[in-house]
Amino acid sequence: MPTSVELLQGTLDMLILKAIANDPQHGWAIAQRIQQVSNNVLQVGQGSLYPALHRLEYKGWIKAQWGASGNNRKARFYSLTAAGRKQLAAELDNWQRLAGAVNLVLQEI
């Protein structure tokens, strides 16, 4: 199993937005999705996840609705708003530019 690494500052919001881009998810499912897709390298604790969800909701990038989880427990399901889709596109673009620039430096030095 790969060792987990700390998220770069500012990447959690982008990962959450991406995790709910296609389907609304509750908090635990968002954390699990990020962990599974990253092959257990990225682990998002509740102490980071829920403040980020509140921050994204406050900014109007996500909205929450109560629903039933897979085990029939009451949970808040988060989904992207139109502003959130726009923000995700901008953050993905910025991430691609940053990753490309870092790769250039690593290859040239």
Side-chain angles (χ1 to χ4, degrees), residues 35-108:
Q35 184 174 336
Q36 288 171 347
V37 171
S38 71
N39 291 328
N40 296 316
V41 173
L42 303 177
Q43 297 179 7
V44 182
Q46 292 184 5
S48 300
L49 178 66
Y50 288 99
L53 288 169
H54 290 292
R55 182 176 58 251
L56 295 172
E57 189 175 12
Y58 178 77
K59 290 180 176 179
W61 296 344
I62 65 174
K63 61 184 176 184
Q65 287 186 305
W66 287 102
S69 67
N71 58 7
N72 213 24
R73 296 180 73 176
K74 191 174 177 182
R76 290 187 80 187
F77 284 76
Y78 299 92
S79 60
L80 283 184
T81 64
R85 289 195 184 285
K86 201 171 184 178
Q87 182 63 28
L88 175 59
E91 291 198 20
L92 289 173
D93 184 55
N94 285 338
W95 178 258
Q96 294 298 328
R97 288 186 314 139
L98 174 65
V102 170
N103 279 332
L104 285 173
V105 171
L106 293 176
Q107 292 170 0
E108 294 297 322

